[in-house]
């Protein structure tokens, strides 16, 4: 039976067919739909699912379950693996009893990430097997294979889809859902405690297991060789689809070796190289496959010319597509370049990313910009919707590095520029993710900063997932929420304030007071994301009162506001937040009922 599934949904389906017992995640594009699909299926199929506070926690929860023999899956995006790197490296040594699969979605391009890092490199670093799917069907099948491989080797296994595989849809052949029949029980054993002497022995075991994985992959159905002459292409993942389509369009019949597993099957690759005079390696991001191919050619003293990223024939940055791969193959074959100029698409209007109409974060930034207008202040930022606070006209973020860094970078800046005022912005979900340790550090070292927690009651940017500050879990059960104010006070912060960013007068008074405090202070700016509430009113401009001063659109910048020749207008996407009416000096903006 076939079902139309997105690549991420296919991974979730594969996990359910594999009979998982536990699923954990921290949301991040392009991986988010993996867990969203799993959370929906959890009640029906009887496994546990949770959004964890961050990727490190998610991996450690999944590892604990796997220690007891349960099958566990954890999903995250590629930068999330940086957060989970510490447990991952030790877990490779310790190993697992039940199957443990890490879905780490890479984002070449990148479309929504700080980096283009290649998770296959992490696989090499940790000496863990990696499956690299190129289609939703392959993503589902590889998920099943990854669990089998994990249990055969006693190692965590990484499944590494990229953006296109994650989000493309395909008719996927689905199988039966396996019911877990294993006895799940943690057996006490010194092997679970990674002491220095044990780690040396475990490292030896890991090296043996890594070689064993390469042997197993010699017969993997995810590695395919097609011999059609002595000129060949070696490719992997979604790039395989581009290569096959490009060859069809060009009418060329080159030999093709597709690699879907890492470590690579050395005998298979060597056998392919022995039959080639020239080889082109096509892959996105880092030359992981190409480096292995060059190494094998050298080890076996093969006289084969190898092209790819190292001679700049294949770009090392950004996504590939069929057009780019066609140009690469043309160059490889010495064919004339395409002379037909592509039809230029019509010029599109510039549409810089911006906070939504009525977004409470915009009001929070406005409040603090007003509060520090006579101060020399720096605003440090973080990862989330509120990163868009750096855009004009607000221009309210001066830094953005990674999740949780806004709070800690403010402390570093304060140490070297004590005369300046430091304000760190962080979202509610991100505060639970990695903001708490930074705040404790500020308390412990008595660093004079103001931390602003933008509490919009959701994880908005990745699809409105719940977090520990909300009274609902991923599986829909009602639980007691962690109160941010109580938590912040428990971290040792004495000066804690709460404000509604839509109430400008009250919020500005609280902001000013927090900025006057010595030592760390925290302001929780609490108001639901506009996409969680249905507005009953909107606002409009009474043109006879508007003097066209521009305060509303020049300093506040809500995208629902725009200027026309005869004055300021408010569009229908107004969410009725009322902030523009509060800042209008002539009282020209009034509420009306939403039509």
């Amino acid at each position: 039976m076939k079902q139309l599934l997105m690549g991420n949904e296919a991974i979730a389906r594969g996990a359910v067919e594999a009979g998982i017992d536990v699923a954990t995640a921290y949301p991040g594009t392009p991986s988010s739909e993996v867990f969203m699909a799993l959370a929906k299926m959890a009640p029906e199929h009887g496994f546990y699912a949770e959004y964890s506070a961050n990727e490190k926690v998610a991996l450690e929860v999944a590892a604990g379950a796997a220690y007891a023999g349960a099958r566990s899956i954890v999903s995250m995006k590629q930068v999330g693996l940086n957060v989970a790197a510490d447990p991952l490296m030790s877990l490779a040594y310790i190993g697992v009893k039940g199957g443990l699969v890490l879905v780490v979605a890479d984002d070449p391009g990148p479309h929504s990430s700080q980096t283009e890092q290649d998770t296959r490199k992490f696989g090499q670093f940790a000496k863990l097997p990696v499956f690299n799917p190129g289609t939703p069907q392959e993503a589902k099948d590889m998920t099943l294979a990854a669990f089998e491989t994990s249990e055969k080797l006693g190692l965590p296994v990484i499944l590494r889809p990229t953006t296109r595989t994650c989000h493309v849809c395909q008719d996927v052949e689905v199988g039966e859902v396996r019911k877990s029949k294993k006895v799940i029980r943690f057996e006490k054993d010194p092997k679970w405690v990674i002491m220095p002497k044990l780690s040396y022995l475990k490292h030896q075991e890991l090296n043996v297991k890594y070689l064993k994985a390469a042997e197993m992959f010699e017969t993997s159905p995810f590695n395919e060789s097609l011999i059609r002459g002595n000129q060949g292409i070696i490719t992997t993942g979604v790039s395989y689809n581009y290569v096959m389509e490009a060859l069809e369009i060009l009418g060329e019949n080159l030999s093709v070796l597709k690699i879907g597993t890492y470590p690579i099957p050395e005998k298979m690759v060597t056998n392919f190289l022995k039959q080639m005079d020239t080889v082109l390696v096509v892959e996105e991001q880092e030359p992981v496959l190409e480096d292995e191919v060059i190494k094998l050619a050298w080890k076996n003293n093969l006289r084969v010319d190898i092209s790819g990223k190292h001679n700049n024939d294949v770009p090392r940055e950004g996504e590939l597509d069929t057009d780019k791969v066609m140009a690469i193959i043309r160059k490889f074959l010495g064919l004339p370049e395409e002379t037909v100029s592509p039809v230029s698409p019509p010029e599109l209007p510039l549409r810089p990313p911006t906070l939504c109409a009525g977004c409470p974060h915009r009001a929070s930034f406005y409040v603090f910009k007003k509060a520090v207008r006579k101060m020399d202040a720096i605003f440090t930022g973080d990862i989330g919707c509120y990163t868009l606070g750096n855009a004009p006209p607000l221009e309210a973020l001066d830094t953005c590095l990674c999740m949780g860094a806004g709070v800690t970078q403010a402390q570093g800046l304060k140490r070297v520029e004590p005369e300046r005022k430091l304000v760190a912005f962080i979202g509610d979900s991100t505060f639970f993710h990695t903001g708490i340790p930074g705040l404790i550090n500020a308390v412990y070292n008595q660093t004079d900063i103001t931390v602003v927690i933008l509490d919009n009651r959701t994880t908005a940017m990745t699809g409105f997932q719940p977090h520990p500050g909300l009274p609902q879990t991923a599986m829909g059960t009602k639980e007691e929420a962690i109160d941010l104010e109580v938590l912040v006070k428990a971290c040792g912060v004495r000066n804690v304030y709460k404000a509604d960013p839509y109430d400008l007068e009250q919020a500005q008074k609280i902001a000013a007071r927090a900025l006057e405090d010595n030592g760390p202070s925290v302001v929780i700016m609490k108001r639901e994301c506009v996409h969680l509430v249905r507005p009953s009113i909107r606002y409009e401009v009474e043109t006879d009162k508007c003097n066209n001063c521009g305060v509303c659109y020049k300093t506040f910048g809500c995208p629902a506001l725009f200027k026309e020749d005869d004055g300021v207008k408010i569009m229908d996407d107004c969410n009725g937040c009322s902030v523009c009416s509060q800042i209008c000096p002539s009282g020209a903006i009034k509420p009306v009922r939403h039509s």
Side-chain angles (χ1 to χ4, degrees), residues 5 7-26 31-51 62 71-76 101-103 140 143 147 159 177 473-476:
L5 296 175
N8 282 343
E9 295 171 331
I11 293 169
R13 174 70 194 190
V16 172
E17 288 183 18
I20 56 167
D21 303 288
V22 171
T24 62
Y26 188 81
S31 72
S32 298
E33 295 86 358
V34 175
F35 184 82
M36 291 167 77
L38 284 168
K40 286 181 182 175
M41 291 189 281
E44 178 185 354
H45 295 289
F47 61 89
Y48 173 74
E50 72 165 41
Y51 279 120
R71 282 192 165 185
S72 306
I73 188 168
V74 52
S75 57
M76 61 193 72
V101 175
L102 287 81
V103 181
K140 196 218 80 166
T143 304
F147 275 107
L159 181 75
V177 173
T473 68
M475 296 173 72

Side-chain angles (χ1 to χ4, degrees), residues 234 257 259 264-273 293 296:
I234 304 179
L257 175 60
I259 299 297
I264 65 169
E266 293 194 359
K267 293 176 184 174
M268 188 178 195
V269 176
T270 302
N271 185 50
F272 185 84
L273 290 174
V293 170
L296 283 177

Side-chain angles (χ1 to χ4, degrees), residues 402-431:
C402 61
M403 294 185 78
V407 176
T408 44
Q409 285 191 310
Q411 296 170 56
L413 286 163
K414 188 66 180 179
R415 292 299 172 192
V416 294
E417 295 190 82
E419 73 284 358
R420 302 186 76 177
K421 186 62 68 177
L422 265 298
V423 182
F425 291 92
I426 188 168
D428 45 355
S429 182
T430 310
F431 181 71

Side-chain angles (χ1 to χ4, degrees), residues 105-178:
D106 281 1
D107 185 19
H111 296 270
S112 59
S113 305
Q114 309 95 300
T115 69
E116 282 192 293
Q117 64 195 60
D118 191 324
T119 295
R120 294 175 300 167
K121 285 283 191 184
F122 245 123
Q124 290 178 324
F125 187 28
K127 301 179 181 179
L128 293 177
V130 177
F131 285 80
N132 194 28
T135 64
Q137 179 70 61
E138 206 167 53
K140 196 218 80 166
D141 295 341
M142 283 186 173
T143 304
L144 285 158
F147 275 107
E148 295 295 329
T149 303
S150 175
E151 291 184 349
K152 283 180 182 174
L153 295 173
L155 287 177
V157 171
I158 296 172
L159 181 75
R160 179 245 185 192
T162 54
T163 304
R164 298 298 160 186
T165 304
C166 290
H167 290 160
V168 75
C169 290
Q170 181 186 24
D171 279 333
V172 175
E173 188 71 41
V174 298
E176 292 189 6
V177 173
R178 172 187 135 161

Side-chain angles (χ1 to χ4, degrees), residues 243 303 521 542 558 571:
V243 166
R303 299 182 66 83
S521 59
E542 295 180 353
C558 176
M571 293 193 290

